């Protein structure tokens, strides 16, 4: 959603790709609301979401969009903040936390962050035809004292062991899910054909208007116009900004 973050990401990727214009032209940066994404249905092979869901007050709306955009059999990798982590469990039993880490209600952290019970998120996904293939608890030893002693490298070593043998015990502050979408593709929906002769996708192939949902966008310079509903958007510093009408 943040245009500034997208600009920073664009600069980092340009440096990573060595300012190769051909490679850079195949990476698109789009600013939009997570519950109204201007991308065609059944067009994505993989969707990766990290450090995002705990900032959404309407995560079910985002999962609806992920289901719509992802192709049947597509891969969804999701990370979320886990309220049922070992630290919260100890704090709850010691009387230092009022909210139970065991109930399904999201717990509010500050003004903008929501922590979720793993089953709460899993139920959302299952209702939308996602099959969870793997669960991994991460940052299991993220405690300030442990970072100093025995140190970060030792913690990473034990983290790898924990994830290999105890991955199903979700007690870390963050959880990763690997999911596959098990849905039937609507034959009336024209997704993106990834088998182009040059192997590249044009931005016009994937975009739709996030107000009317139609693939009727025309791009002229730094202006984007929807021929169906008349909405106008802008392109600034290589960012396709669909957050607000221009």
């Amino acid at each position: 959603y943040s245009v500034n973050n997208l600009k920073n990401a664009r600069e980092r990727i340009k440096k990573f790709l060595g300012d190769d214009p051909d490679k850079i032209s195949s990476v698109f940066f789009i600013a939009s609301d997570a519950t109204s994404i201007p991308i065609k249905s059944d067009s994505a092979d993989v969707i990766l979401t990290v450090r995002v869901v705990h900032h959404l007050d309407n995560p079910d709306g985002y999962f609806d969009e992920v289901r719509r955009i992802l192709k049947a059999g597509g891969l969804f990798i999701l990370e979320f903040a886990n309220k049922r982590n070992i630290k919260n469990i100890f704090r709850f039993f010691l009387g230092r936390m009022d909210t139970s880490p065991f109930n399904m209600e999201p717990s509010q952290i500050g003004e903008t962050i929501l922590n979720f019970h793993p089953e709460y998120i899993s139920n959302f996904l299952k209702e939308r035809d996602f099959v969870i293939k793997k669960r991994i608890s991460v940052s299991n030893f993220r405690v300030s004292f442990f970072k100093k002693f025995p140190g970060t490298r030792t913690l990473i070593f034990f983290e790898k062991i924990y994830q290999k043998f105890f991955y199903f015990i979700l007690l870390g502050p963050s959880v990763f899910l690997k999911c596959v979408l098990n849905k039937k593709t609507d034959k009336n929906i024209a997704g993106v054909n990834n088998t182009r002769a040059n192997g590249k996708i044009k931005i016009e192939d994937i975009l739709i208007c996030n107000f009317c949902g139609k693939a009727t966008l025309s791009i002229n310079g730094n202006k984007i116009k929807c021929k169906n509903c008349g909405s106008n958007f802008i392109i600034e510093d290589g960012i396709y900004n669909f957050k607000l009408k221009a």
Side-chain angles (χ1 to χ4, degrees):
Y1 189 80
S2 168
V3 173
N4 285 334
N5 282 350
L6 286 172
K7 289 178 181 179
N8 291 335
R10 189 168 184 267
E11 290 305 310
R12 285 171 177 259
I13 289 175
K14 283 174 66 177
K15 291 180 181 179
F16 178 77
L17 296 176
D19 284 331
D20 186 324
D22 189 54
K23 291 181 179 178
I24 293 171
S25 66
S26 66
V27 183
F28 306 121
F29 301 86
I30 302 171
S32 73
D33 189 285
T35 59
S36 180
I37 302 174
I39 296 178
K40 287 183 179 179
S41 300
D42 297 302
S43 61
D45 299 300
V46 180
I47 294 178
L48 170 67
T49 302
V50 178
R51 309 307 293 165
V52 172
V53 176
H54 60 277
H55 291 298
L56 302 179
D57 55 6
N58 182 25
D60 51 332
Y62 174 64
F63 293 145
D64 286 338
E65 284 291 83
V66 171
R67 185 190 186 282
R68 178 184 66 80
I69 294 168
L70 199 61
K71 294 178 181 178
L75 185 64
F76 181 33
I77 298 175
L78 167 69
E79 180 270 349
F80 63 90
N82 177 24
K83 67 174 286 187
R84 195 190 62 185
N85 63 68
I86 190 66
K87 185 177 179 180
N88 281 351
I89 292 173
F90 275 118
R91 290 179 64 203
F92 177 70
F93 283 121
L94 291 173
R96 297 174 60 185
M97 188 174 77
D98 296 329
T99 304
S100 171
F102 302 106
N103 64 42
M104 292 294 171
E105 290 299 316
S107 60
Q108 185 83 36
I109 307 296
E111 296 182 0
T112 62
I113 295 177
L114 288 174
N115 285 1
F116 298 97
H117 192 287
E119 290 305 314
Y120 182 89
I121 295 294
S122 296
N123 290 337
F124 266 133
L125 296 173
K126 291 174 183 177
E127 289 170 1
R128 289 159 179 80
D129 303 314
F130 284 97
V131 178
I132 299 173
K133 295 293 186 179
K134 192 170 184 178
R135 298 173 173 87
I136 291 181
S137 176
V138 302
S139 300
N140 296 282
F141 305 101
R142 193 177 68 188
V143 180
S144 298
F145 173 78
F146 288 154
K147 289 179 182 179
K148 297 177 181 178
F149 179 84
T152 303
R153 289 187 178 181
T154 305
L155 290 183
I156 292 174
F157 172 78
F158 285 111
E159 181 82 11
K160 289 180 178 179
I161 294 176
Y162 186 96
Q163 290 179 357
K164 184 175 182 179
F165 297 103
F166 304 103
Y167 61 89
F168 55 90
I169 305 177
L170 306 179
L171 294 178
S174 292
V175 171
F176 273 82
L177 301 179
K178 178 182 178 181
C179 313
V180 173
L181 182 57
N182 181 26
K183 73 172 181 180
K184 293 182 179 179
T185 301
D186 187 346
K187 294 181 180 179
N188 296 319
I189 297 177
V192 176
N193 181 5
N194 288 339
T195 57
R196 291 180 170 273
N198 59 5
K200 293 185 66 175
I201 298 295
K202 294 181 179 179
I203 189 67
E204 293 88 345
D205 294 332
I206 66 173
L207 289 182
I208 60 173
C209 175
N210 62 338
F211 281 92
C212 69
K214 301 294 183 181
T216 52
L217 298 176
S218 63
I219 299 177
N220 183 15
N222 67 337
K223 302 292 184 181
I224 306 173
K225 182 178 180 63
C226 177
K227 298 177 183 178
N228 181 64
C229 68
S231 297
N232 293 285
F233 311 97
I234 61 173
I235 305 171
E236 51 179 339
D237 296 328
I239 310 298
Y240 293 79
N241 191 343
F242 284 84
K243 287 167 56 178
L244 299 171
K245 291 183 180 180

